[in-house]
Amino acid sequence: MSHRLPTRQVEKPWGRDALPAPFKADAGERIGEIWFEPPAALPDLLVKYIFTSEKLSVQVHPSDAQTQAQGLGRQGKEECWLVIAADAGAALGIGFDAPIAAEAMRAAALDGSIEQRMTWHSVKPGDFFYIPANTVHAIGGGIALIEVQQNSDITYRLYDYGRPRELHLEDGIAVAKGERYDSGRWHREVGERDSAQLADGPFFRLDQVRGAPGGEVAARYPGALLVIPRTGAVEIGGERIAAGSCGLAQRLSDVAFDSDSVVLLAAACGTR
């Protein structure tokens, strides 16, 4: 059995027709996302690469409790982003410049001014953002990032720049928080070759490690985990997993790290 997760290329109107190696878009395709299919050992965790040429919709995701209350499944969606490339002037829209009430948010979504009321965070490679459920957000154009998220496809679009796609104002406004984004809590800068703890719950944990992880990191990963090389490669059960791929290991001790590799480790926390 292969330890390398199958991938799926997803076309998006805001995607790109030219992707960085090792990815490749076929002629006429605009690829926005590369999904690594969640394995049976970690079904609640999804890893993606996202490549943008235009802004994504302004959107929001519900929490576990809200999803369950609506009978839509057992989990909502929290996610995090690690920027790996960004054009000059690229930005992420997260939260609002000032608190906004539900009816005012609805009106702003209808007339398009919600885009101007959001806070746009200029980004560069190494910027990391955790996006809690109920946070209004949008990824800008000219960005490549790695996203780790709860494995849920529940997305409520509030505004889509006039694209002919469905909006979900009733459901979206019901769960959206019209708040400023707490950058001091949820944002950090990570050096390209630094080891750093990026997320530690409540739904998943995420670390970047250079070379073999130390004992403190190993203690956070006692069970099955996903291994996402950024540079270099790892081996899992003798199978080489290189940058641009995602591997599944049943335990950290099954992974052999190149001494100079930079790798993301991800695992579900097991709490709900």
Side-chain angles (χ1 to χ4, degrees), residues 1-270:
M1 183 184 76
S2 176
H3 297 280
R4 184 181 292 108
L5 298 187
T7 60
R8 187 190 339 164
Q9 296 197 154
V10 182
E11 289 193 78
K12 295 289 185 179
W14 41 260
R16 299 184 187 179
D17 54 14
L19 302 179
F23 306 112
K24 183 179 180 180
D26 291 335
E29 289 186 335
R30 290 174 64 85
I31 301 300
E33 299 178 349
I34 309 290
W35 293 27
F36 298 99
E37 299 290 354
L42 288 168
D44 294 341
L45 200 58
L46 177 62
V47 176
K48 302 176 182 176
Y49 280 81
I50 295 179
F51 306 104
T52 71
S53 61
E54 303 171 9
K55 290 178 179 178
L56 278 68
S57 61
V58 176
Q59 57 188 239
V60 66
H61 308 297
S63 67
D64 279 16
Q66 290 163 339
T67 301
Q68 292 161 16
Q70 293 295 317
L72 299 175
R74 62 188 181 88
Q75 68 177 17
K77 183 175 176 182
E78 300 209 346
E79 61 193 2
C80 61
W81 302 327
L82 178 62
V83 177
I84 57 175
D87 293 347
L92 298 169
I94 317 174
F96 294 92
D97 288 338
I100 180 172
E103 285 308 311
M105 191 189 305
R106 180 194 302 273
L110 288 170
D111 67 18
S113 63
I114 191 170
E115 181 183 4
Q116 287 72 48
R117 300 189 70 159
M118 292 176 65
T119 303
W120 289 89
H121 306 258
S122 298
V123 296
K124 60 187 181 305
D127 276 318
F128 174 81
F129 296 84
Y130 190 92
I131 310 298
N134 312 127
T135 303
V136 177
H137 60 276
I139 299 175
I143 294 174
L145 57 82
I146 297 173
E147 176 177 285
V148 179
Q149 61 161 89
Q150 287 182 278
N151 183 19
S152 169
D153 62 358
I154 303 175
T155 295
Y156 298 138
R157 291 192 200 100
L158 302 177
Y159 176 67
D160 201 26
Y161 315 99
R163 298 182 185 119
R165 297 195 295 174
E166 181 183 6
L167 300 180
H168 314 94
L169 285 182
E170 295 303 318
D171 290 329
I173 297 297
V175 303
K177 290 183 177 179
E179 299 177 349
R180 295 184 178 92
Y181 179 70
D182 188 350
S183 295
R185 179 178 182 185
W186 300 117
H187 168 251
R188 65 173 299 169
E189 297 179 5
V190 185
E192 183 180 1
R193 304 190 65 76
D194 290 349
S195 293
Q197 181 179 341
L198 301 178
D200 192 23
F203 303 105
F204 53 84
R205 57 181 59 91
L206 180 67
D207 281 77
Q208 178 171 289
V209 297
R210 179 178 178 181
E216 185 176 339
V217 174
R220 292 201 291 275
Y221 293 88
L225 71 155
L226 300 180
V227 185
I228 309 118
R230 295 193 56 199
T231 64
V234 301
E235 286 192 1
I236 305 174
E239 182 178 2
R240 183 176 173 82
I241 310 294
S245 298
C246 180
L248 169 69
Q250 294 303 320
R251 59 192 63 82
L252 189 59
S253 59
D254 292 341
V255 185
F257 293 84
D258 286 354
S259 60
D260 203 34
S261 61
V262 178
V263 177
L264 297 177
L265 308 176
C269 287

